[in-house]
Amino acid sequence: EAEVAQSPRYKITEKSQAVAFWCDPISGHATLYWYRQILGQGPELLVQFQDESVVDDSQLPKDRFSAERLKGVDSTLKIQPAELGDSAMYLCASSENRADSDTQYFGPGTRLTVL
Amino acid sequence: DAKTTQPTSMDCAEGRAANLPCNHSTISGNEYVYWYRQIHSQGPQYIIHGLKNNETNEMASLIITEDRKSSTLILPHATLRDTAVYYCIVRVTPYFGNEKLTFGTGTRLTIIP
């Protein structure tokens, strides 16, 4: 069964450093999402791509976060500089761009700890 | 804000049916009810979704009340591997585009041996 791949699974960094997370969606899925999940809470959307275009980044802290999906396939989420409050699970999800099927499938996530 | 209300936690004996309730009293006519679960330290997993008819798949059954203001997810024979946080989410029909999922805090289901 096809899965969403994410790396790394765990990342420890010091505040003010730069970090990057990578996501490879299920093949053929045009829509890609990045969510952030703080411990004890549900995931919250950071950014949504349709192919290579951003369709929703209203909750992305653009002063320090950036996301790209240059060829409309895999994606990278970057934080620079990292802050203590960025410690969380970063989840990637993908879905087909079909009117009758838009179930989101999630990857295993990257757990970020900022010291 | 999440449009659903769920109990914070529930226990269920192994082998019994687990019934997870969800209230969505402000649901609109074009909104589906989706259920996801998240096992500890993993990404959320899709379970099932429905509009107004009851739905069943290999994982679970979804019962939606006639007025669509509430629903129940049923895991027919719970196992220890079903221990997870279960999220009930309402969102517009796929015909309106790929809308984000708005998660609440979910129900923490613990299966007791």
Side-chain angles (χ1 to χ4, degrees):
Chain A
E1 181 176 305
E3 296 180 340
V4 175
Q6 289 188 249
S7 67
R9 291 293 310 278
Y10 303 92
K11 179 69 176 179
I12 299 174
T13 190
E14 294 184 344
K15 62 180 181 179
S16 80
Q17 295 298 305
V19 292
F21 314 130
W22 177 78
C23 172
D24 191 15
I26 293 172
S27 178
H29 281 196
T31 309
L32 185 147
Y33 312 79
W34 283 101
Y35 289 83
R36 178 171 61 182
Q37 184 174 25
I38 296 171
L39 192 64
Q41 300 181 19
E44 293 183 315
L45 182 75
L46 290 174
V47 62
Q48 177 180 340
F49 289 91
Q50 183 65 38
D51 298 311
E52 66 276 7
S53 300
V54 173
V55 297
D56 185 354
D57 64 356
S58 58
Q59 299 304 309
L60 187 72
K62 299 181 186 65
D63 57 335
R64 298 184 300 107
F65 286 65
S66 64
E68 61 183 16
R69 193 184 184 199
L70 295 177
K71 297 182 179 179
V73 181
D74 60 337
S75 176
T76 301
L77 178 69
K78 297 179 181 178
I79 308 175
Q80 182 172 16
E83 297 181 350
L84 296 177
D86 297 332
S87 293
M89 174 80 86
Y90 290 82
L91 293 158
C92 180
S94 69
S95 64
E96 294 183 86
N97 186 28
R98 286 169 40 188
D100 62 343
S101 176
D102 72 338
T103 298
Q104 293 184 29
Y105 297 90
F106 285 80
T110 296
R111 181 165 295 283
L112 173 67
T113 301
V114 182
L115 303 176
Chain B
D1 292 334
K3 303 176 184 178
T4 63
T5 304
Q6 299 177 253
T8 302
S9 63
M10 294 180 61
D11 293 339
C12 178
E14 187 178 17
R16 306 295 289 267
N19 297 284
L20 291 91
C22 180
N23 288 322
H24 30 80
S25 58
T26 61
I27 193 169
S28 301
N30 63 350
E31 288 183 315
Y32 279 66
V33 179
Y34 280 74
W35 284 85
Y36 279 75
R37 73 179 182 184
Q38 189 171 24
I39 296 170
H40 182 64
S41 295
Q42 297 182 21
Q45 177 189 24
Y46 166 78
I47 301 174
I48 198 168
H49 74 281
L51 183 62
K52 54 184 178 182
N53 298 320
N54 297 337
E55 302 288 344
T56 295
N57 63 20
E58 65 277 6
M59 290 183 66
S61 295
L62 175 60
I63 308 298
I64 302 174
T65 58
E66 190 169 348
D67 63 7
R68 303 211 320 123
K69 293 184 183 298
S70 65
S71 60
T72 301
L73 179 73
I74 301 172
L75 308 178
H77 305 287
T79 71
L80 297 179
R81 289 183 294 180
D82 293 321
T83 292
V85 177
Y86 287 76
Y87 295 99
C88 171
I89 300 164
V90 297
R91 62 192 290 251
V92 296
T93 169
Y95 296 101
F96 284 80
N98 291 22
E99 186 182 280
K100 66 181 180 183
L101 296 171
T102 301
F103 290 82
T105 52
T107 296
R108 181 173 299 278
L109 175 67
T110 302
I111 306 302
I112 309 297

